Amino acid sequence: MNHATTLAALHAALAEIHNPMQHVDVLNRLVAELRLVDHEQAWALNHQAEGLARMAGDDGKPYTQGLIDCFYWRSKLLFSEQSYHQALTYLFRASKLCQLTPPRQPNPHWLDILDTSFQSASLGSEDSDAFLASGIHSAAVHNALGVLLIVLGNYTEALQYLQRAKRDAIQLNDQWFEALVCNNLGFLHCELQSPEIALNDLAHGLRLLEAMTQFPAHLRMRAEILDNSGRAACALKQFEQAVSYGEQALALYHEIDWQHGQAECHNNLGLAYAGLDQQNQAIEHFMQAYELACGSNNIHEAIEALIRHGVLLNRIKHYQAARVILEQALISVNPTINQQKVYRAHQALADTYEALGDFKASLKHYKAYYELKDTVFNEQSVRRMQVLQTMYRLDEARNQAALYHLQNDDLHQQLADIQQINVQLAEWAKTDSLTEILNRRGLYEQIDLALQHQQTDAQGWAWIMFDIDFFKAINDSYGHDSGDEVLRGIAQRARLVLRHSDVFGRYGGEEFLVFLPHTSMQEAIVIAERLRMAIANTPYVVKQTAVNVTISLGIAWTEQVDDPERLTQLADQALYRSKAAGRNCYTVERLDAPVSQLSA
């Protein structure tokens, strides 16, 4: 049965049905069918369904399942209008109503009236909602909440709702929705830079799909899971596996003729081939991604293709072509919606113009990049920290539940083990996994602790911010694994020259921060110069090649600390001036009386 015939059957059913609850069910299904083809009529029927559902139950009481369905499809209508917060409100209402009904597979009476071929028509769609013809359940509601919260950038609550949706799907024995939720969890963990966890979720989703009849919706879901698996494999630098995942996904997207998915898949394949140093194939995939994204009005994926293409052209030293493509990306992106893409475009253009010898343009883009980078990095760090806390709480709750059932002889040992794990988790949350020094959260905790008992100090307080000069060139020339080795080496050398009382950590990317308590300005300069020489005087061995590495430093000094964040910003500004002055030097800024000093 095609879409038109399905609509005709639903409208005919309305004329035959006299039971109010069955009437609500048919209205809700009509909204589901019409939402993508007749938005206005879908809205009208949705309001009609709600009005009837509020009194369609026994003894004139509300029909709970009908209201759940109504609010779910209303959230879909609002989502298509980008009214995300309103959509969230109705999904929360649906979630509360789900708590009033026992977990079950809905089976409304009106399906008996329709021809059984109606369900096969629904399953002929590649839409993931195709399997909700018989009503909305809690797994669908909580999955939709998770997806919407991802769009809104609230990754902590998104993770909670997706995990809840997975539990609901298992309880309902709905393997389709369990696979769908696994895909969304995999995508979220990729966003959170946890590719190992992502691959576990995605592999489980694929196993569930293998046992199902392959309708178009299954094919699309399998393609999405493979595409996300390729993305996770790229993050783990398993580029050959990423290509395999991507090619399988692309074949499935072609089979169901879904251009949106094809564009995303080409973008991910471009990254995988770039990782294999097969630049021509990578460029071809980026160009196809851009063409398909424009054809399907997918602005997000089109801009992503331009930025990735431009970065790759920089890497292979085609700077003029990179300039044109990256400028196009910067013009196309909406800075109020996606700051991360703006930040990445400015960073790449700064490198492009520097290579072209246009230092004025390069500095302009470096300045824009530095102004945005803290905002972008802070958003990512907060999200990752919140998720760590969420997972920590979930693990702790599970451990406590398990403890309740332990025998008395084992109780104390198990409790001690869990407490030790919790201590390790807390330390891990404050430590940078690559360099094994403090991360940004750990830095701020240690600085706040040092300043809690701050007294007037004649010596003063200093911040040193430094980053690696031309670090991107190291990654491009020798690979990201070599770049990671340089970061670890710099952290080790810095620790050797810093004092025991100094607080040192990785601020983000290739940027490091040192907090110097009870330190005069002259002492801070001496320590900064010691750091600079420790890094610059001995080359690093990268893939059997001696590579000279230098750093640029910014020093902020004050007699009394009123605002630690202001000192960090001042050190960052001083670092920017060192970059502008030619790199491999330091700049000093004094908070209470501006004084600038440069040292080559």
Side-chain angles (χ1 to χ4, degrees), residues 111-132:
L111 280 178
D112 296 334
I113 297 173
L114 296 177
D115 187 277
T116 55
S117 60
F118 165 71
Q119 274 197 310
S120 64
S122 295
L123 300 180
S125 165
E126 75 276 4
D127 187 355
S128 61
D129 285 324
F131 295 87
L132 294 172

Side-chain angles (χ1 to χ4, degrees), residues 90-226:
Y90 284 103
L91 285 173
F92 280 134
R93 290 184 185 179
S95 177
K96 289 180 180 178
L97 288 173
C98 285
Q99 297 172 21
L100 303 177
T101 58
R104 62 184 179 86
Q105 287 283 10
N107 185 25
H109 307 292
W110 63 267
L111 280 178
D112 296 334
I113 297 173
L114 296 177
D115 187 277
T116 55
S117 60
F118 165 71
Q119 274 197 310
S120 64
S122 295
L123 300 180
S125 165
E126 75 276 4
D127 187 355
S128 61
D129 285 324
F131 295 87
L132 294 172
S134 59
I136 307 303
H137 49 53
S138 57
V141 173
H142 295 140
N143 174 72
L145 272 167
V147 171
L148 187 52
L149 287 164
I150 290 173
V151 172
L152 291 170
N154 192 334
Y155 289 178
T156 305
E157 290 192 23
L159 181 61
Q160 290 176 321
Y161 276 105
L162 288 177
Q163 289 173 331
R164 187 172 173 183
K166 186 177 179 180
R167 291 195 299 270
D168 291 344
I170 293 171
Q171 187 176 7
L172 291 163
N173 196 28
D174 190 333
Q175 293 191 338
W176 159 253
F177 245 88
E178 187 183 351
L180 185 150
V181 175
C182 283
N183 179 54
N184 291 334
L185 280 167
F187 174 86
L188 178 56
H189 282 300
C190 282
E191 290 292 300
L192 293 166
Q193 301 176 33
S194 302
E196 298 95 341
I197 301 175
L199 281 175
N200 287 334
D201 284 318
L202 295 165
H204 183 58
L206 280 177
R207 286 193 296 271
L208 290 169
L209 286 176
E210 285 173 358
M212 301 180 195
T213 305
Q214 296 302 295
F215 290 107
H218 292 111
L219 297 178
R220 172 172 162 181
M221 183 53 56
R222 184 176 179 82
E224 289 185 10
I225 291 177
L226 287 165

Side-chain angles (χ1 to χ4, degrees), residues 231-302:
R231 182 182 173 200
C234 267
L236 292 170
K237 300 177 184 175
Q238 299 170 359
F239 299 117
E240 290 184 357
Q241 185 63 58
V243 168
S244 176
Y245 284 133
E247 295 291 357
Q248 292 178 68
L250 192 59
L252 290 169
Y253 282 137
H254 279 297
E255 186 174 342
I256 62 173
D257 193 26
W258 196 45
Q259 286 194 355
H260 184 106
Q262 291 173 38
E264 183 176 332
C265 196
H266 278 297
N267 256 335
N268 290 335
L269 277 167
L271 279 185
Y273 278 110
L276 292 171
D277 290 326
Q278 297 180 27
Q279 285 85 6
N280 290 336
Q281 291 94 324
I283 289 172
E284 182 179 343
H285 280 291
F286 290 142
M287 292 174 68
Q288 289 185 57
Y290 179 73
E291 183 179 344
L292 286 164
C294 290
S296 57
N297 199 30
N298 185 355
I299 304 301
H300 167 86
E301 212 62 48

Side-chain angles (χ1 to χ4, degrees), residues 340-384:
Q340 188 182 51
K341 282 187 169 51
V342 179
Y343 151 85
R344 289 167 55 208
H346 279 303
Q347 183 183 27
L349 277 167
D351 294 334
T352 304
Y353 280 113
E354 183 174 2
L356 291 170
D358 188 342
F359 299 109
K360 182 178 179 181
S362 179
L363 284 173
K364 180 188 78 171
H365 287 290
Y366 265 124
K367 184 176 181 181
Y369 154 66
Y370 272 106
E371 287 173 352
L372 279 170
K373 73 178 175 66
D374 274 348
T375 301
V376 173
F377 187 84
N378 280 334
E379 288 176 355
Q380 293 174 339
S381 296
V382 167
R383 287 172 184 168
R384 292 177 69 186

Side-chain angles (χ1 to χ4, degrees), residues 310-325:
V311 169
L312 179 58
L313 288 171
N314 270 347
R315 178 177 165 184
I316 60 178
K317 301 181 180 180
H318 292 182
Y319 300 117
Q320 289 290 0
R323 178 186 62 80
V324 173
I325 287 174

